[in-house]
Amino acid sequence: MYYAILAYHAEGVVESWTEEEDAALMAELLAVNDRLVGEKSLGPAARLGPTQRAVTLRGKGDGMITDGPFAETKEELLGFYVVDFPTLEAAVAAARDLRRANPTAVYEIRPILLYLPGAPLESRAAD
Protein backbone atom coordinates (compact mmCIF):
# COMPACT_ATOMS: atom_id res chain seq x y z
CA MET A 1 0.00 0.00 0.00
CA TYR A 2 1.18 3.50 -0.72
CA TYR A 3 1.53 6.00 2.12
CA ALA A 4 2.38 9.69 2.16
CA ILE A 5 4.82 10.76 4.84
CA LEU A 6 4.23 14.50 5.19
CA ALA A 7 6.98 16.52 6.87
CA TYR A 8 5.96 19.58 8.89
CA HIS A 9 8.16 22.16 10.55
CA ALA A 10 8.09 25.78 11.64
CA GLU A 11 9.49 27.67 8.65
CA GLY A 12 11.22 30.21 10.87
CA VAL A 13 13.27 27.45 12.48
CA VAL A 14 14.23 25.94 9.12
CA GLU A 15 15.14 29.34 7.70
CA SER A 16 17.37 30.05 10.74
CA TRP A 17 19.69 27.12 9.96
CA THR A 18 23.08 27.93 8.49
CA GLU A 19 23.99 26.44 5.12
CA GLU A 20 26.19 23.94 6.98
CA GLU A 21 23.40 22.92 9.36
CA ASP A 22 20.97 22.49 6.49
CA ALA A 23 23.50 20.49 4.45
CA ALA A 24 24.20 18.20 7.42
CA LEU A 25 20.48 17.60 7.97
CA MET A 26 19.92 16.92 4.27
CA ALA A 27 22.84 14.45 4.24
CA GLU A 28 21.16 12.49 7.05
CA LEU A 29 17.77 12.60 5.33
CA LEU A 30 19.31 11.52 2.02
CA ALA A 31 20.92 8.54 3.75
CA VAL A 32 17.44 7.39 4.81
CA ASN A 33 16.20 8.22 1.29
CA ASP A 34 18.93 6.09 -0.30
CA ARG A 35 18.18 3.16 2.00
CA LEU A 36 14.46 3.31 1.17
CA VAL A 37 15.27 3.52 -2.55
CA GLY A 38 17.53 0.47 -2.17
CA GLU A 39 14.66 -1.37 -0.49
CA LYS A 40 12.38 -0.31 -3.38
CA SER A 41 10.02 1.33 -0.88
CA LEU A 42 10.42 5.00 -1.84
CA GLY A 43 8.59 6.77 -4.64
CA PRO A 44 8.58 10.52 -5.27
CA ALA A 45 9.85 12.85 -2.58
CA ALA A 46 9.99 16.65 -2.59
CA ARG A 47 11.22 19.47 -0.41
CA LEU A 48 8.80 22.35 -0.82
CA GLY A 49 9.70 26.03 -1.07
CA PRO A 50 8.65 28.62 1.49
CA THR A 51 4.98 29.45 1.95
CA GLN A 52 5.82 33.13 1.29
CA ARG A 53 6.34 32.18 -2.36
CA ALA A 54 3.17 30.07 -2.58
CA VAL A 55 -0.28 31.02 -3.82
CA THR A 56 -3.65 29.44 -3.16
CA LEU A 57 -6.43 28.98 -5.71
CA ARG A 58 -9.93 28.77 -4.26
CA GLY A 59 -13.52 29.69 -5.02
CA LYS A 60 -16.03 29.02 -7.76
CA GLY A 61 -15.49 29.14 -11.49
CA ASP A 62 -11.91 29.99 -12.38
CA GLY A 63 -11.27 30.70 -8.71
CA MET A 64 -9.33 33.49 -7.11
CA ILE A 65 -5.59 33.50 -6.44
CA THR A 66 -4.46 34.67 -3.01
CA ASP A 67 -0.98 34.89 -1.56
CA GLY A 68 0.24 31.87 0.34
CA PRO A 69 -1.64 29.35 2.39
CA PHE A 70 -3.43 30.82 5.38
CA ALA A 71 -3.80 27.81 7.64
CA GLU A 72 -3.95 28.62 11.33
CA THR A 73 -0.97 26.51 12.27
CA LYS A 74 2.46 26.82 13.81
CA GLU A 75 3.95 24.33 11.35
CA GLU A 76 3.96 24.33 7.58
CA LEU A 77 4.10 21.40 5.19
CA LEU A 78 7.72 21.46 4.02
CA GLY A 79 7.92 18.27 2.02
CA PHE A 80 6.63 14.78 1.46
CA TYR A 81 7.65 11.23 0.63
CA VAL A 82 5.59 8.58 -1.13
CA VAL A 83 6.43 5.15 0.23
CA ASP A 84 5.22 1.64 -0.51
CA PHE A 85 4.94 -0.68 2.49
CA PRO A 86 2.63 -3.58 3.25
CA THR A 87 1.50 -2.10 6.57
CA LEU A 88 1.02 1.22 8.31
CA GLU A 89 3.49 0.05 10.96
CA ALA A 90 6.23 -0.30 8.33
CA ALA A 91 5.48 3.20 7.00
CA VAL A 92 5.65 4.56 10.56
CA ALA A 93 9.04 2.88 10.99
CA ALA A 94 10.30 4.71 7.89
CA ALA A 95 8.95 8.00 9.27
CA ARG A 96 10.78 7.29 12.54
CA ASP A 97 14.02 6.95 10.57
CA LEU A 98 13.36 10.34 8.96
CA ARG A 99 12.58 11.81 12.38
CA ARG A 100 15.87 10.52 13.78
CA ALA A 101 17.58 12.54 11.03
CA ASN A 102 15.36 15.59 11.66
CA PRO A 103 14.12 15.32 15.26
CA THR A 104 12.46 18.75 15.38
CA ALA A 105 10.13 17.98 12.45
CA VAL A 106 6.66 16.46 12.70
CA TYR A 107 5.75 13.60 10.38
CA GLU A 108 2.20 12.67 9.38
CA ILE A 109 1.69 9.25 7.81
CA ARG A 110 -1.42 8.96 5.69
CA PRO A 111 -2.65 6.20 3.34
CA ILE A 112 -2.80 7.18 -0.32
CA LEU A 113 -6.09 6.12 -1.87
CA LEU A 114 -5.13 6.94 -5.46
CA TYR A 115 -1.57 7.03 -6.80
CA LEU A 116 -0.88 8.27 -10.32
CA PRO A 117 2.88 8.58 -10.83
CA GLY A 118 2.61 10.88 -13.86
CA ALA A 119 5.37 11.53 -16.34
CA PRO A 120 8.97 12.34 -15.45
CA LEU A 121 9.45 16.10 -15.23
CA GLU A 122 12.33 18.18 -16.47
CA SER A 123 12.83 21.44 -14.65
CA ARG A 124 11.64 24.55 -16.46
CA ALA A 125 12.74 26.84 -13.64
CA ALA A 126 12.89 30.53 -14.43
CA ASP A 127 16.39 31.97 -14.47
Side-chain angles (χ1 to χ4, degrees):
M1 169 142 209
Y2 290 113
Y3 295 91
I5 299 176
L6 308 172
Y8 294 88
H9 212 303
E11 280 186 345
V13 172
V14 174
E15 292 168 355
S16 73
W17 295 336
T18 65
E19 284 186 35
E20 294 79 18
E21 289 170 325
D22 189 63
L25 172 75
M26 288 307 298
E28 289 187 49
L29 289 173
L30 289 173
V32 175
N33 183 86
D34 292 346
R35 181 180 58 77
L36 294 174
V37 167
E39 294 172 359
K40 299 187 185 316
S41 296
L42 182 65
R47 185 177 191 185
L48 302 176
T51 56
Q52 295 91 341
R53 294 191 359 223
V55 297
T56 300
L57 173 65
R58 68 176 73 224
K60 296 181 180 180
D62 286 344
M64 180 177 70
I65 299 286
T66 59
D67 291 338
F70 291 106
E72 292 294 325
T73 180
K74 294 179 182 180
E75 301 156 340
E76 291 77 31
L77 176 63
L78 297 184
F80 64 89
Y81 301 84
V82 174
V83 295
D84 184 11
F85 287 105
T87 65
L88 175 62
E89 292 76 17
V92 169
R96 284 193 172 119
D97 288 341
L98 294 166
R99 183 160 167 78
R100 278 190 272 285
N102 188 2
T104 57
V106 174
Y107 291 92
E108 174 185 348
I109 300 89
R110 187 183 302 184
I112 295 176
L113 301 181
L114 174 66
Y115 177 72
L116 302 172
L121 296 176
E122 291 186 30
S123 176
R124 296 186 286 183
D127 294 318

